[in-house]
Amino acid sequence: MIGVQIHPVDTWFFRDGTPFEDTPWLTVESLFPPHPPTMVGALRAAVARENGWNGQGSWSPEIREVLGDGPDDLGRISFDGPFLLRDGQRLYRAPRHLLGVIEDGLWHPKALLGPGGPVQCDLGEVRLPQLSRPNDENEQLVPGRDQWLTVSGMNRVLADELPDAREVVPSRHLWKSEQRIGLQRDVKTRTAREGMLFSSRHARPAPGVSLGARITGLPPIWTPPSWGSSKGQVTPIGGESRLGAVRGWDPVSDVESSYRSNRTRDRFAVVALTPLDVDSAVYLGGARLAELAGARVVSACMDRPLRIGGWDSRNNFGPLPIRSVLAPGSVLFCEIDSLQPPEVMVSTIGEGPVRIGARTRLGFGLVALGVWPGHEENT
């Protein structure tokens, strides 16, 4: 496994699934950070260029054997990420079960949600999230939608503790939004195409902010992208072929899974570090997580699912089908009904992040496991 990071050369623009044609009078916002397929496409092209591809046409059979061919064939390699980095250190979306208050324009963590008691609704019996411990009723608790946690801050949350204020970073300290006006040209006449004026908002990362990923499966004799250069290899990434510099990255620190079990069942919280591509039956409690010893979701804290597509530059040079996934920071509270031998749980959960769901080789499904907030009160 090797670590890579992409530093911005200028602004970046990462689209969601909204077509420009459907919103000609609106400004199309850039996502940040991008979804896994965008990062994977840029890094595969960068690795291919570093190992013999001239940047045009198809890859050679030797390159295709390692890097695959097209968006659904990754060959021998797999990815983790993308991760948002600040000075080379990972930041993670604040989990959705972490609530706080806004004081003097800053968000301060104050409470954690955990599964409540069973209630009846149109979905049958469900367990809605509730505060795991008593809290000041006068405080207006809100989720940290635009907040990020350091590795140490995330580890605190996984251990049923509140992060320190120094372990919370607001999005506005990591990137700014810049409006741009674009005009589509006719490549044959080199003149503007009538009616093709559009507006978009780019993301400008703050100094020291970059994107990171881990790559597994590259042959030892292959050269990673511009490891010997302090500036890195410049490669297109995202919409409008914006540029980024690919450099080496040492992903030394990571989150640590933390969970407890009693004598009758195992309970843990699954926190999404990257988008989760899981069937809706999983988070509605109708299907089990085979990767986690058959755990069943009994409650969840999450936003509306993301709609993620992509771009196929290999075959039909067009958009990929859009799929619904759970956003990073989503939290699934899980139970294992039957007692599992300790060695089974240790081998399943391990010491660090694990992967669940589909397309994990593309970077989807990276999760960390923590305890249920207020676990002792609920057992």
Side-chain angles (χ1 to χ4, degrees), residues 339-353:
L339 181 65
Q340 294 288 333
E343 60 270 17
V344 172
M345 293 305 300
V346 170
S347 63
T348 299
I349 295 178
E351 298 297 329

Side-chain angles (χ1 to χ4, degrees), residues 144-159:
R145 285 190 173 89
D146 294 322
Q147 309 297 320
W148 298 76
L149 300 184
T150 64
V151 171
S152 61
M154 180 63 80
N155 284 334
R156 287 180 187 269
V157 173
L158 296 175

Side-chain angles (χ1 to χ4, degrees), residues 95-129:
R96 298 293 293 134
H97 70 318
L98 178 61
L99 303 181
V101 297
I102 299 177
E103 299 175 351
D104 300 326
L106 295 176
W107 183 84
H108 299 273
K110 290 291 184 177
L112 288 164
L113 294 172
V119 297
Q120 292 291 331
C121 72
D122 58 331
L123 297 176
E125 184 178 279
V126 300
R127 299 181 64 176
L128 301 177

Side-chain angles (χ1 to χ4, degrees), residues 18-37:
T18 304
F20 274 105
E21 291 82 358
D22 289 351
T23 55
W25 61 91
L26 297 177
T27 295
V28 179
E29 292 280 352
S30 172
L31 301 170
F32 193 77
H35 297 315

Side-chain angles (χ1 to χ4, degrees), residues 231-253:
K231 296 183 178 180
Q233 179 197 125
V234 175
T235 186
I237 178 172
E240 302 184 11
S241 295
R242 311 300 295 181
L243 298 178
V246 187
R247 306 174 192 168
W249 171 51
D250 183 13
V252 287
S253 61

